[in-house]
Amino acid sequence: MTVEEFLETEADEFHGALLALWWDGKGDWTKAHEIAQDVAGADGAWVHAYLHRKEGDVGNAGYWYRRAGRDVVRGDSRVEWVAIVTEMLGR
């Protein structure tokens, strides 16, 4: 599935971290965050980190990147979103 197909698919096809990313891709950061904070494990932490970085809360994002075992990302948040979605869809 491509990123474009991901966004064209209905939300009920996804769960967990991918569902949070889907909502963020649709422009609903709040819904994405509500979902991400309930996703256990590294994927949930990674999406949670991304969302806080996008929000501008760099300190909180750093905490979640560490929990995810990922380096802190800098730059365009859209590029990071695509990278996360691509990796998770590719599993």
Side-chain angles (χ1 to χ4, degrees), residues 6 8-16 18-19 22-23:
F6 173 72
E8 292 171 6
T9 303
E10 295 297 321
D12 61 359
E13 296 293 319
F14 305 108
H15 65 279
L18 275 171
L19 181 59
W22 187 90
W23 280 109

Side-chain angles (χ1 to χ4, degrees), residues 48-67:
H48 205 164
Y50 153 77
L51 289 167
H52 280 294
R53 186 178 80 85
K54 181 179 177 184
E55 174 193 34
D57 188 349
V58 178
N60 199 1
Y63 167 80
W64 288 104
Y65 280 116
R66 286 188 299 280
R67 297 266 321 254

Side-chain angles (χ1 to χ4, degrees), residues 60-80:
N60 199 1
Y63 167 80
W64 288 104
Y65 280 116
R66 286 188 299 280
R67 297 266 321 254
R70 301 274 178 169
D71 292 331
V72 174
V73 176
R74 308 214 189 292
D76 187 347
S77 63
R78 179 69 182 170
V79 171
E80 182 181 12

